[in-house]
Amino acid sequence: MNTQTACLAWAEEEFGSAQLNDRRNEVRLVSMAGTLAHNAHVLVASSFPNMTEREAAYDFLENDRIAPQGITRACACATARRSWSWDQAWARTPGLA
């Protein structure tokens, strides 16, 4: 499996269960995450050299209808799925030292 394919597979596992306001946004999230994992830069413009993909990334990032909680929940679910096979897992509770 090449690096780009591995990054897209990771993005699907990590964000594929995201429930956003529109299926197209869910597909865009996975695509963007895979691209960023493979081609990470500080600037969005550098991470997405293709103008169409870059504009779609900016549209996604500026979309007020996308709730960050949907993305966070997808990450939490992916983490839980990965931990099912473990004998033990530690979880930090926010607010507790």
Side-chain angles (χ1 to χ4, degrees), residues 13-66:
E13 180 182 326
E14 193 70 20
F15 299 105
S17 68
Q19 296 179 349
L20 305 177
N21 62 325
D22 186 318
R23 178 69 185 141
R24 292 171 295 182
N25 290 328
E26 296 160 6
V27 171
R28 172 63 52 198
L29 172 62
V30 171
S31 174
M32 284 177 57
T35 298
L36 289 169
H38 183 256
N39 190 30
H41 293 280
V42 174
L43 301 174
V44 170
S46 299
S47 295
F48 297 93
N50 175 288
M51 188 174 71
T52 303
E53 289 182 10
R54 183 171 50 250
E55 288 175 0
Y58 280 122
D59 288 346
F60 181 91
L61 294 170
E62 295 172 355
N63 189 337
D64 293 335
R65 295 174 299 172
I66 296 175

Side-chain angles (χ1 to χ4, degrees), residues 70-84:
I71 299 170
T72 302
R73 181 179 173 90
C75 291
C77 289
T79 300
R81 279 192 303 274
R82 282 191 298 272
S83 68
W84 285 342

